[in-house]
Amino acid sequence: MAKDSLIERLENLPQDRKAMLNRLRRVEGQLRGIQRMIIEEKPCYDVLLQLSAARKAMQKACIEILKNYLQKCVHEAKAPDFDNLEKLIEALIEISPAKALSGDGDE
């Protein structure tokens, strides 16, 4: 059985996954723009403003993935998968604003 090409796989994705990929592409574009701003020595305020916008966009992407996971995996499960739920809780802690503000990132 031949594997589908990446283009064929992208074309056959459900609409919610296509929307998520589009969201992530916009964030990717924002990050490239921020890199360009740094190279062009744009004012610090402008760079920080764009970084904040990109961070918020990533946070929204995390929330959408979480919502989709809860709807598809947890809600439809006949018995809870406690290992997956534990991983989900860990991911929630990692993406929480309090975690981001505490400076415990992976720098």
Side-chain angles (χ1 to χ4, degrees):
M1 179 176 175
K3 291 189 177 186
D4 292 338
S5 72
L6 183 59
I7 293 173
E8 290 171 327
R9 290 177 66 190
L10 286 171
E11 289 173 355
N12 295 324
L13 281 177
Q15 190 57 38
D16 63 327
R17 288 190 186 196
K18 286 181 183 180
M20 177 55 65
L21 288 174
N22 287 335
R23 180 186 295 264
L24 292 174
R25 285 184 186 112
R26 283 192 300 274
V27 172
E28 182 180 23
Q30 284 179 298
L31 294 175
R32 281 194 305 268
I34 293 166
Q35 292 173 24
R36 189 171 43 253
M37 291 174 75
I38 291 170
I39 292 168
E40 295 172 355
E41 298 182 11
K42 297 293 183 186
C44 178
Y45 171 81
D46 294 339
V47 173
L48 290 173
L49 193 63
Q50 290 305 310
L51 280 169
S52 177
R55 181 178 46 85
K56 288 177 187 175
M58 287 294 296
Q59 191 75 11
K60 286 181 182 180
C62 290
I63 290 167
E64 282 301 312
I65 288 173
L66 176 60
K67 283 176 22 182
N68 288 336
Y69 175 81
L70 288 172
Q71 288 173 344
K72 292 178 182 174
C73 300
V74 175
H75 181 68
E76 296 172 2
K78 294 180 181 173
D81 181 341
F82 291 106
D83 288 337
N84 274 342
L85 289 175
E86 184 64 32
K87 289 178 184 176
L88 178 62
I89 291 168
E90 290 173 14
L92 284 169
I93 292 168
E94 282 298 314
I95 67 170
S96 73
K99 174 80 173 180
L101 292 176
S102 71
D104 291 340
D106 54 357
E107 295 141 68

